[in-house]
């Protein structure tokens, strides 16, 4: 059964998405899984202890020619068990694998932080997409009302003979076009709501809208170059690429270590018992062996050298990926910064446009009262006001999103930033 619809603000939707979003949940699971790389890497440096045991039935037919033992057929059992301990003393590859596991754990933490910031931007984008789609639908509904009134007036004028059939058909065509636009706007609103539901995991109801007037602050610091430099230093995307490069460097060293000798301390304690033997003599033996094992690789068909060349090529790829990440982050930072600064200018201009359109509507209503304006003129002015308000809201939404994206580009987006945005909203 579908969950009940709920009304919430941006912060409430985000906190719900933290619990329900499948992408973020997958990132958390990947982070938990990555934590196990560390004990796995550490295990390569610790002792390896094995216990073994066996029981065998023997059926032996032996013919001796020296006369020392009696020939014939014998069947007997033998049993053995023991413990073997191997402690790596020098295995360069194992040490490098452990270092790689530490880097992988750190990288997983960065990936989880990046997933958290991505969730914030996705929730904000989906939230404001729904608000914008609703504003667009309201604007088209206002336009539909004005066009419908124009159609009625055109039909009346045609009946009384003050207008031609062409005027009536033109009004009908405008009305049909607006109806089609309204259907498209309704579909767009439904799609935007479903997109937000995909993140939240349940249907969304009424969402809090803007609380006007809105005060938006310019970027701090005001210099775009400072933001770009900060992105180079603290961007999560760049940090991930740097970790990947470090992993690739360790992989080169680890592959080259395939040429190095290995040295292990080995100890074993075994117990063997047999009630007979091919010579007809039983045995009960215990053996304790302690020693060192040295292994020197001499030739593996050129496989190690090939793996070294492969690892070097992958290291170069990681280096180029890092450079690409730096360039991408710089571009994203500049785009978001310019989106904020230009958006602030648009917000100011459109705020003035809304005020001017509001005055126009009031003047048109006054003109209707004195007989110099018609009801259609009032509806057209009301339609223009609705469109101006929609454009004003869109500019605010876009500027807010660019503010969030700017902080995400430098790796500084937090829940507190969403809380600040949330103060701009009110329950409708």
């Amino acid at each position: 059964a579908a969950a009940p619809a709920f009304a919430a603000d941006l912060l409430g939707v985000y906190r719900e998405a933290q619990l329900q979003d499948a992408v973020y949940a997958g990132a958390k699971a990947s982070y938990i899984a990555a934590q196990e790389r560390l004990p796995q890497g550490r295990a390569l440096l610790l002792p390896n202890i094995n216990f073994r045991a066996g029981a065998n039935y023997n059926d032996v037919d032996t013919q001796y020619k020296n006369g020392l033992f009696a020939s014939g057929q014998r069947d007997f059992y033998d049993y053995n068990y023991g413990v073997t301990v191997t402690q790596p003393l020098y295995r360069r590859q194992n040490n490098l694998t452990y270092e790689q596991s530490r880097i992988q754990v750190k990288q997983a933490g960065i990936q989880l932080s990046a997933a958290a910031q991505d969730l914030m931007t996705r929730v904000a984008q989906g939230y404001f997409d729904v608000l914008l789609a609703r504003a667009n639908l309201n604007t088209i509904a206002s336009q539909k009302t004005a066009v419908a009134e124009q159609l009625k007036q055109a039909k009346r004028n045609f009946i009384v003979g003050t207008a031609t059939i062409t005027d009536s058909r033109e009004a009908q065509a405008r009305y049909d076009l607006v109806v089609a636009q309204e259907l498209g706007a309704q579909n767009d609103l439904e799609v935007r709501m479903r997109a937000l539901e995909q993140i939240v995991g349940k249907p969304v109801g009424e969402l809090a809208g803007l609380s006007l007037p809105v005060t938006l602050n310019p970027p701090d610091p005001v210099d775009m170059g400072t933001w770009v430099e900060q992105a180079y230093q603290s961007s999560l995307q760049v940090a991930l690429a740097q970790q990947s490069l470090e992993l690739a460097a360790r992989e080169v060293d680890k592959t080259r270590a395939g040429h190095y000798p290995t040295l292990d301390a080995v100890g074993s304690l075994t117990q063997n018992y047999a009630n007979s033997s091919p010579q007809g003599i039983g045995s009960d033996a215990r053996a304790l062996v302690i020693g060192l094992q040295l292994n020197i690789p001499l030739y593996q068909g050129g496989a190690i050298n090939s793996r070294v060349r492969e690892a070097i090529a992958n290291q170069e790829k990681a280096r180029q990926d890092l450079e690409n990440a730096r360039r991408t982050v710089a571009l994203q930072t500049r785009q978001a910064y310019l989106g904020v600064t230009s958006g602030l200018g648009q917000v100011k201009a459109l705020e003035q446009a809304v005020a001017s359109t509001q005055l126009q509507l009031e003047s048109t209503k006054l003109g209707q009262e004195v007989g110099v304006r018609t009801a259609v003129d009032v509806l057209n002015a009301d339609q223009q006001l609705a469109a101006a308000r929609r454009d004003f809201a869109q500019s605010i939404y876009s500027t807010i999103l660019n503010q969030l994206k700017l902080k995400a580009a430098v790796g500084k987006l937090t829940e507190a930033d969403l809380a600040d945005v949330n103060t701009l909203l009110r329950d409708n």
Side-chain angles (χ1 to χ4, degrees), residues 308-328:
V308 170
R309 292 192 297 269
E310 179 186 13
I312 292 175
N314 288 331
Q315 183 184 24
E316 179 60 25
K317 178 183 180 300
R319 184 177 291 108
Q320 296 303 323
D321 288 343
L322 173 59
E323 179 61 25
N324 181 64
R326 289 171 58 84
R327 295 178 184 180
T328 301

Side-chain angles (χ1 to χ4, degrees), residues 184-197:
Q186 290 173 344
N187 180 75
D188 182 64
L189 174 59
E190 187 70 17
V191 170
R192 301 299 183 184
M193 292 181 64
R194 293 295 176 265
L196 186 57
E197 288 174 11

Side-chain angles (χ1 to χ4, degrees), residues 6-14 120-134 189 192-193 195-197 199-200 204-210 397 401 418 421-422 424-428:
F6 68 97
D9 54 15
L10 177 61
L11 198 57
V13 172
Y14 167 69
M120 295 181 199
T121 56
R122 286 190 293 116
V123 168
Q125 182 74 61
Y127 188 97
F128 290 123
D129 281 348
V130 171
L131 294 186
L132 181 59
R134 287 179 177 173
L189 174 59
R192 301 299 183 184
M193 292 181 64
L196 186 57
E197 288 174 11
I199 302 174
V200 179
V204 294
E206 290 296 326
L207 300 179
L210 283 175
Y397 301 154
L401 286 172
L418 289 186
V421 175
N422 207 57
L424 307 176
L425 307 174
R426 60 177 173 83
D427 190 355
N428 292 328

Side-chain angles (χ1 to χ4, degrees), residues 9 13 38 68 115 167 201 209 282 317 398 409:
D9 54 15
V13 172
L38 193 59
L68 296 178
D167 297 330
K317 178 183 180 300
S398 178

Side-chain angles (χ1 to χ4, degrees), residues 287-418:
L288 174 64
V289 178
I290 299 176
L292 298 174
Q293 287 187 350
L294 175 66
N295 180 43
I296 302 177
L298 298 179
Y299 182 67
Q300 285 79 35
I304 295 178
N305 290 334
S306 176
R307 294 191 188 100
V308 170
R309 292 192 297 269
E310 179 186 13
I312 292 175
N314 288 331
Q315 183 184 24
E316 179 60 25
K317 178 183 180 300
R319 184 177 291 108
Q320 296 303 323
D321 288 343
L322 173 59
E323 179 61 25
N324 181 64
R326 289 171 58 84
R327 295 178 184 180
T328 301
V329 164
L331 176 61
Q332 292 173 345
T333 303
R334 292 188 177 99
Q335 287 176 335
Y337 179 89
L338 294 174
V340 174
T341 54
S342 64
L344 291 173
Q346 289 181 348
V347 168
K348 184 177 181 180
L350 289 170
E351 184 179 17
Q352 183 61 42
V354 170
S356 300
T357 309
Q358 180 69 45
L359 292 175
Q360 178 188 358
L361 175 60
E362 294 173 359
S363 299
T364 305
K365 288 181 178 180
L366 181 60
Q368 182 188 22
E369 293 176 1
V370 298
V372 296
R373 288 290 187 268
T374 65
V376 173
D377 295 329
V378 174
L379 291 172
N380 287 334
D382 186 65
Q383 173 191 342
Q384 292 177 2
L385 177 59
R389 286 175 174 170
R390 176 202 58 196
D391 295 341
F392 178 49
Q394 182 177 8
S395 67
I396 295 176
Y397 301 154
S398 178
T399 303
I400 291 174
L401 286 172
N402 279 310
Q403 286 178 330
L404 298 178
K405 290 178 181 179
L406 180 59
K407 290 194 174 182
V410 299
K412 300 297 184 180
L413 182 61
T414 64
E415 186 174 329
D417 297 309
L418 289 186

Side-chain angles (χ1 to χ4, degrees), residues 276-289:
S276 185
S277 69
Q279 295 79 26
I281 303 173
S283 64
D284 188 357
R286 176 181 296 177
L288 174 64
V289 178

